Amino acid sequence: IQPNPWRGLPVLLAGAAPGAGGGHRGLMPWRTTLSALGAFVCPAVVGVPHADKTLAEPGQLAAGKSAQALESGLMTLMRLASALGTAR
């Protein structure tokens, strides 16, 4: 694809699932694929286990480990974007 929209783009992988894994298994293929396309994938990933019980409102995480992991992951993404000069 020319131009490649993924080249140089910082990416945070996140998933949610009703099981205990929080969608982590499905994120590994995305890491490989996006990296191959030239994206800078954050080393941190965010998984939300038991998402059927963890979501307080549509689109909102209840306070707890998942919310903290999301905030930490987003901060990592912002630091990566800043280092790459892609932060807006």
Side-chain angles (χ1 to χ4, degrees):
I1 301 172
Q2 292 297 333
N4 179 353
W6 294 102
R7 186 162 312 283
L9 185 72
V11 177
L12 173 67
L13 296 175
H24 281 278
R25 279 187 301 198
L27 297 177
M28 211 50 195
W30 282 108
R31 176 179 299 282
T32 304
T33 301
L34 292 171
S35 293
L37 290 171
F40 290 99
V41 182
C42 285
V45 297
V46 177
V48 180
H50 309 292
D52 54 332
K53 299 177 182 110
T54 307
L55 297 175
E57 306 258 339
Q60 297 294 316
L61 282 174
K65 288 183 182 180
S66 295
Q68 291 171 351
L70 178 59
E71 186 172 334
S72 175
L74 289 172
M75 293 304 295
T76 301
L77 177 65
M78 292 305 299
R79 283 192 299 274
L80 177 61
S82 180
L84 294 171
T86 58
R88 295 188 177 137

